[in-house]
Amino acid sequence: MQDRFEYGLNPEKCAVVSSHLCDPATAHLEFMLTKCEYQAETGRKAEAGQLFYQIRQAFPHGEVTPEEANRIGHETAMRWTKGKYQFFVCTHTDQEHIHNHIYFCSTAHDRSRTFHNFWGSTFAVRRLSDQICLEH
């Protein structure tokens, strides 16, 4: 997990970072703590292999600034997780197109549930992302 987060936070690629309920620099530890607390409090195992999920969001060249892209990514993550999961958004400008890496914990911050990656979730998050982009 830490190596994935370090890729997202790489200062040579990343122009803007925002977060919710965590510090991106220590998110790998915070996500693990949330998962461990969930298991201790509920007695249920969180999905063994799923420590976090990642959403990638790309924008056509020249369509948005890095700051706008990050705001869109933050809003996408907030609405996708309903604000109940820790997440951070890294906006990369190292390629011709600006793109976001959104990382969110697989366990809710209040330790009440784990994220259910349902059949068709890819299409649902894409539809949400498209809707938010249209709103902006």
Side-chain angles (χ1 to χ4, degrees), residues 31-98:
F31 286 15
M32 285 301 297
L33 178 62
T34 300
K35 182 176 182 165
C36 290
E37 288 175 341
Y38 169 82
Q39 290 178 179
E41 291 174 14
T42 65
R44 295 187 305 246
K45 293 250 186 212
E47 294 179 42
Q50 301 304 325
L51 302 175
F52 71 97
Y53 291 92
Q54 180 178 7
I55 299 169
R56 292 187 195 102
Q57 186 180 45
F59 304 92
H61 179 69
E63 186 173 273
V64 294
T65 65
E67 294 76 20
E68 290 171 319
N70 192 271
R71 279 193 298 276
I72 291 168
H74 193 276
E75 185 174 341
T76 300
M78 186 63 81
R79 286 166 65 175
W80 182 248
T81 66
K82 297 177 178 55
K84 296 180 181 182
Y85 294 78
Q86 299 156 291
F87 68 80
F88 64 100
V89 181
C90 305
T91 303
H92 285 194
T93 56
D94 63 318
Q95 297 183 11
E96 190 172 305
H97 64 281
I98 293 173

